[in-house]
């Protein structure tokens, strides 16, 4: 018997400075704080287009907490999906403006940009090709150079997160 999960619902991070992290995630993604738990020095945030209660939880553990060493056992990164390649291009600009952009790549069926939060937690912002265009990438996930200009020229305006966005036709609204 297996667990019948359909998608990762939310992520929770330990952060050193809760208020600094709230400013970062709100500034980078437009997230809103939907709940706070003062006893745990925690906050729960929701993405602007999310139908979820919360997408990210942050638990402040104090400025003296040592960061996890990169490349050690634990979470590598989170991946946030955008609807269009145009939104991915905008995410790259936003991360660069925030000094949080760390790289980009093409994984075949997905195109990605990468960033870090103030505690060096890495995250990915990704756009997925339309399912019918996966082709040879159906069962592959290469790490190749991303030619953002070419991808935008080819895929501009093509939304693929459809069923995930509240109010979309595919979501039954």
């Amino acid at each position: 018997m297996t667990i019948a999960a359909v998608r990762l619902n939310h992520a929770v991070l330990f952060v050193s400075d809760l208020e600094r992290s709230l400013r970062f995630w709100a500034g980078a993604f437009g997230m809103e704080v939907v709940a706070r738990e003062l006893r745990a020095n925690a906050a729960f945030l929701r993405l602007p287009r999310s139908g979820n209660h919360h997408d990210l939880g942050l638990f402040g553990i104090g400025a003296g907490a040592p960061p996890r060493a990169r490349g050690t056992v634990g979470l590598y990164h989170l991946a946030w999906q955008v609807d269009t390649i145009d939104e991915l291009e905008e995410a790259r600009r936003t991360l660069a403006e925030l000094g949080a952009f760390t790289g980009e790549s093409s994984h075949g069926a997905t195109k990605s940009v990468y960033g870090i939060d103030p505690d060096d937690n890495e995250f990915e912002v990704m756009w997925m090709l339309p399912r019918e265009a996966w082709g040879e990438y159906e069962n592959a996930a290469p790490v190749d150079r991303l030619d953002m200009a070419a991808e935008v020229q080819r895929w501009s305006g093509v939304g693929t997160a459809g069923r995930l966005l509240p109010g979309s036709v595919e979501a039954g609204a």
Side-chain angles (χ1 to χ4, degrees):
M1 185 86 122
T2 61
I3 297 170
V6 294
R7 178 169 226 91
L8 181 66
N9 180 269
H10 65 273
V12 178
L13 300 174
F14 287 119
V15 298
S16 59
D17 182 331
L18 180 61
E19 296 306 316
R20 179 183 69 173
S21 291
L22 287 171
R23 287 190 301 276
F24 174 81
W25 290 100
F29 287 86
M31 290 185 180
E32 67 171 315
V33 175
V34 296
R36 283 189 178 254
E37 175 49 61
L38 298 178
R39 294 170 296 177
N41 194 31
F44 300 90
L45 300 97
R46 182 182 309 130
L47 292 163
R49 298 189 293 177
S50 175
N52 201 6
H53 176 270
H54 65 277
D55 300 293
L56 182 65
L58 300 173
F59 282 70
I61 58 174
R68 184 179 66 83
R70 188 165 180 76
T72 60
V73 173
L75 180 68
Y76 175 22
H77 69 257
L78 307 172
W80 302 99
Q81 185 173 354
V82 294
D83 190 36
T84 66
I85 191 73
D86 312 277
E87 291 171 344
L88 185 65
E89 184 179 40
E90 181 61 33
R92 179 170 68 176
R93 280 193 293 275
T94 298
L95 292 174
E97 289 168 5
L98 292 171
F101 177 75
T102 61
E104 60 191 19
S105 59
S106 170
H107 298 295
T110 63
K111 312 305 174 190
S112 303
V113 298
Y114 298 89
I116 54 169
D117 78 356
D119 288 297
D120 289 334
N121 291 308
E122 185 172 352
F123 59 90
E124 173 182 357
V125 181
M126 53 78 62
W127 175 74
M128 191 177 326
L129 268 63
R131 178 71 176 82
E132 62 276 7
W134 288 4
E136 66 183 282
Y137 303 116
E138 171 85 22
N139 296 301
V143 179
D144 294 325
R145 184 177 95 51
L146 176 62
D147 183 344
M148 184 71 81
E151 298 294 349
V152 168
Q153 184 175 14
R154 179 172 182 196
W155 298 107
S156 182
V158 176
T160 59
R163 294 175 8 148
L164 305 177
L165 299 176
S168 69
V169 174
E170 291 181 42

